[in-house]
Amino acid sequence: MKAYLRPLLLIFALLLIDQLSKFWVKLSMTIGQDIPVLGDKFLIHFIENNGMAWGMEFGGDYGKLLLTLFRIAAICGIGYGLHHMIKNNYHKGFILNVALIMAGAMGNIIDSVFYGRIFSESTFYQKAELFPAGGGYAPWFHGKVVDMLYFPLFEGTFPTWFPVWGGEHFLFFSPVFNVADSAISVGVFLILIFQKRYFKDEEAQQAEQKASVVEH
């Protein structure tokens, strides 16, 4: 049971931070409102989306429902995989990275499943209410994902000689995201960076176990 402690604590901590930040934004801000954190380079910018991470869309009521159900199925698969990894003593770093991905997916699933029922609609002119008297803004599984982290680091215009986008305006970094999105991205990035170490250690451990079995 001790091996499960760190991954579970990581998942719980990230879910808590993710949901507290979303509740605060939902109850304190209107859609499109900005709160500068580091001047104009880091803003709390409140938007909602119906679809995937980083503000991407997967439109329509049926599309939204299918996406939410797919997320739940994916969480079940990741949870089973995480249990298997812990039980079979996979690399601790790899396990924590998978826990990051699982926490991020769970954070956005909570929005999709519950937010439509427990919050009133956020608009450009009115903040949402928690448990409104008239009911929530959407049925179960149709809630919108809350995004708020915005880093418009620099913008400009491509030179006219630049291929395809010559003369067009650009902004870096334009996506608006949340803590859950960040957890997924960091988990995937770390796995890609350290995969050789993770799986090399796993292969070495499996070789040791086979040698031990042969000796006995």
Side-chain angles (χ1 to χ4, degrees):
M1 190 64 190
K2 185 178 179 181
Y4 290 86
L5 183 60
R6 290 178 67 187
L8 290 176
L9 285 176
L10 179 60
I11 291 171
F12 176 79
L14 282 168
L15 280 176
L16 183 63
I17 294 169
D18 179 65
Q19 290 302 309
L20 286 177
S21 64
K22 289 173 177 175
F23 266 62
W24 178 81
V25 166
K26 188 79 174 159
L27 297 173
S28 304
M29 301 176 67
T30 56
I31 293 289
Q33 183 178 349
D34 291 326
I35 298 177
V37 179
L38 294 175
D40 60 354
K41 302 303 180 186
F42 173 29
L43 307 171
I44 302 298
H45 175 70
F46 177 26
I47 66 170
E48 293 179 308
N49 76 79
N50 292 310
M52 297 172 283
W54 302 91
M56 293 184 287
E57 294 285 332
F58 193 74
D61 289 342
Y62 288 109
K64 173 65 178 174
L65 179 59
L66 286 173
L67 180 61
T68 301
L69 294 175
F70 173 78
R71 282 174 168 164
I72 293 173
I75 281 296
C76 293
I78 296 171
Y80 176 81
L82 190 60
H83 165 70
H84 174 80
M85 294 169 199
I86 295 171
K87 186 177 180 181
N88 290 278
N89 298 314
Y90 277 54
H91 192 286
K92 290 182 173 59
F94 183 58
I95 290 172
L96 292 178
N97 292 162
V98 174
L100 277 174
I101 296 170
M102 184 171 180
M106 290 176 68
N108 285 334
I109 283 175
I110 291 172
D111 297 28
S112 298
V113 174
F114 298 105
Y115 276 26
R117 300 301 299 166
I118 67 174
F119 285 111
S120 63
E121 185 79 30
S122 292
T123 72
F124 289 98
Y125 312 102
Q126 188 171 358
K127 302 170 186 175
E129 296 180 10
L130 183 62
F131 301 120
Y137 67 83
W140 296 106
F141 299 97
H142 286 78
K144 298 176 183 177
V145 176
V146 175
D147 292 323
M148 80 293 289
L149 303 176
Y150 184 37
F151 294 85
L153 298 179
F154 57 87
E155 61 182 316
T157 303
F158 287 108
T160 55
W161 51 262
F162 198 87
V164 182
W165 299 290
E168 294 186 8
H169 177 267
F170 70 88
L171 173 64
F172 183 87
F173 178 72
S174 60
V176 183
F177 54 101
N178 56 45
V179 174
D181 297 333
S182 302
I184 294 171
S185 299
V186 170
V188 171
F189 178 77
L190 290 176
I191 289 173
L192 292 175
I193 294 297
F194 297 109
Q195 58 180 313
K196 288 185 178 180
R197 178 187 302 177
Y198 294 159
F199 296 114
K200 181 179 179 181
D201 289 352
E202 180 187 342
E203 290 171 0
Q205 186 178 40
Q206 289 176 349
E208 290 178 3
Q209 290 175 347
K210 289 180 181 178
S212 176
V213 170
V214 170
E215 289 176 1
H216 292 83

